Amino acid sequence: MEKILFVIDSPGDLTKEEIAGKPIWVIPVMVSYNGMDVWENEIEPRQFWKDLVRMEEIPRTTMIVPDDWLQIYRKAKAEGYTNILVHTLSSTASGICNSAFLARKLLSDEERLPIEIVDSRSYAFIYGRNILKCAEMAEQGVPFAQIVKTLRDLTARNRGILWVYTLKHLKKSGRISGMKAFVGEALGLRPLLLIKDGVIAPIDKVRGDGNVIPRAAQLVMEHAVAPETQRIEILYADVPPSEIERAQNIIGEMVRPKEMVLHHIGGVIAINCGPIAMAACFYGEPFELEAYE
């Protein structure tokens, strides 16, 4: 009988409540700021968002290295797991996935067990939600091979529309120039970005906060496949509750998904996109699987 372990890194933004009682291990990324080194899964997101606004320097993150993965693989075998499914932050953003592959190669013949590693080609709960689905399948007795296939299929269809309400953090992190940030802020421009196949790319921009969510809803409709059958997650960081409610109402009315849920954006992702941001994640047309492993 298979005993399957699911392993994901902390940028997948799974909470302790979501993994409670499930065979899911979260490997944390170290975040360094204000003279402290803190594991991401020990950070309280809401306080961190507020701290992030006030920080003069962008926090640093420390990658999960092969030795960390070796310890996980060995511990899993010692605890009687027969199969491991690893899901990581996109390899386009971090070397975490490559570390997991390297560690698998370093196992001795006596230590080996079936380990499948799937590069999420994505960020935040966009890929975290998929591990939750896989764990549910395991609880229902679905074989490991079928679960792996399902995760690859979901990964190939992952999409997100991200929007930010200020360009200040993108300027601070060096992702846009000071001049672009100055002009953009002066004009009230708000960028919208498409998350697909490991790339976060500008897809549009609007003027004024009031126009962001309606345009985001339009982009979800353009890129989602059969959104009326999907559960769409609204991801949020340090934005007012009224804006979160507005996103639920507008996207709900325009897209009409089967279900909508809310989920926070964690520390590592907020460091990169800024704390005053939101996103909608959903499924679109699949891209070629060979592109992400």
Side-chain angles (χ1 to χ4, degrees), residues 146-165:
Q146 182 59 46
I147 293 174
V148 173
K149 181 180 184 302
T150 297
L151 182 58
R152 294 187 188 281
D153 290 344
L154 293 173
T155 297
R157 296 169 52 219
N158 275 341
R159 298 290 186 282
I161 298 295
L162 168 70
W163 60 96
V164 299
Y165 291 90

Side-chain angles (χ1 to χ4, degrees), residues 8-38:
I8 188 170
D9 47 20
S10 59
D13 288 348
L14 295 185
T15 66
K16 293 177 182 178
E17 292 75 20
E18 286 169 330
I19 67 173
K22 297 180 175 65
I24 299 176
W25 291 358
V26 176
I27 313 304
V29 169
M30 181 72 77
V31 180
S32 302
Y33 66 101
N34 293 345
M36 303 182 298
D37 294 329
V38 184

Side-chain angles (χ1 to χ4, degrees), residues 2-292:
E2 293 178 327
K3 182 181 178 183
I4 304 170
L5 175 66
F6 301 91
V7 186
I8 188 170
D9 47 20
S10 59
D13 288 348
L14 295 185
T15 66
K16 293 177 182 178
E17 292 75 20
E18 286 169 330
I19 67 173
K22 297 180 175 65
I24 299 176
W25 291 358
V26 176
I27 313 304
V29 169
M30 181 72 77
V31 180
S32 302
Y33 66 101
N34 293 345
M36 303 182 298
D37 294 329
V38 184
W39 296 115
E40 185 187 12
N41 58 357
E42 296 176 354
I43 291 173
E44 202 294 306
R46 288 163 181 78
Q47 184 58 52
F48 184 73
W49 299 333
K50 297 186 183 303
D51 292 342
L52 195 55
V53 172
R54 296 190 291 266
M55 292 178 197
E56 293 184 6
E57 295 185 2
I58 297 294
R60 294 179 294 104
T61 58
T62 303
M63 189 183 79
I64 300 168
V65 298
D67 188 59
D68 297 325
W69 288 108
L70 276 173
Q71 293 181 44
I72 292 298
Y73 298 159
R74 289 166 177 163
K75 181 181 178 183
K77 183 159 188 177
E79 294 190 10
Y81 286 99
T82 61
N83 304 78
I84 304 176
L85 180 54
V86 174
H87 204 31
T88 70
L89 179 67
S90 177
S91 61
T92 58
S94 169
I96 293 174
C97 188
N98 288 335
S99 289
F101 275 110
L102 179 57
R104 188 177 66 179
K105 293 179 181 178
L106 295 175
L107 289 170
S108 67
D109 291 342
E110 294 76 17
E111 295 172 322
R112 294 188 188 283
L113 71 164
I115 302 173
E116 291 288 346
I117 302 166
V118 179
D119 177 359
S120 76
R121 305 296 291 185
S122 198
Y123 309 85
F125 194 61
I126 296 176
Y127 71 98
R129 60 181 175 158
N130 291 340
I131 277 293
L132 291 177
K133 291 183 180 181
C134 289
E136 291 174 2
M137 293 175 69
E139 290 175 356
Q140 296 164 6
V142 178
F144 183 66
Q146 182 59 46
I147 293 174
V148 173
K149 181 180 184 302
T150 297
L151 182 58
R152 294 187 188 281
D153 290 344
L154 293 173
T155 297
R157 296 169 52 219
N158 275 341
R159 298 290 186 282
I161 298 295
L162 168 70
W163 60 96
V164 299
Y165 291 90
T166 177
L167 301 175
K168 293 178 181 178
H169 189 86
L170 296 179
K171 172 192 171 186
K172 187 189 299 185
S173 65
R175 285 171 174 77
I176 62 172
S177 69
M179 180 56 69
K180 284 185 177 180
F182 175 80
V183 173
E185 287 291 320
L187 295 176
L189 296 179
R190 302 292 180 251
L192 294 104
L193 305 99
L194 174 66
I195 302 170
K196 176 185 176 183
D197 194 11
V199 177
I200 304 177
I203 190 171
D204 202 359
K205 57 181 177 289
V206 297
R207 182 174 293 183
D209 291 349
N211 295 316
V212 179
I213 293 175
R215 181 56 181 141
Q218 291 175 342
L219 291 171
V220 170
M221 289 190 292
E222 291 174 15
H223 292 270
V225 173
E228 70 280 0
T229 67
Q230 294 194 34
R231 184 175 87 170
I232 291 179
E233 281 86 3
I234 305 296
L235 312 184
Y236 64 91
D238 195 22
V239 296
S242 58
E243 192 71 357
I244 298 172
E245 182 179 1
R246 186 167 173 266
Q248 285 182 286
N249 291 337
I250 292 176
I251 293 175
E253 291 173 3
M254 293 179 63
V255 181
R256 297 190 177 279
K258 180 180 180 181
E259 185 182 359
M260 278 200 307
V261 297
L262 298 175
H263 202 280
H264 74 276
I265 294 173
V268 168
I269 304 304
I271 289 170
N272 288 277
C273 70
I276 309 176
M278 294 185 72
C281 53
F282 53 92
Y283 296 112
E285 293 287 352
F287 50 81
E288 290 294 327
L289 300 183
E290 289 79 7
Y292 66 84

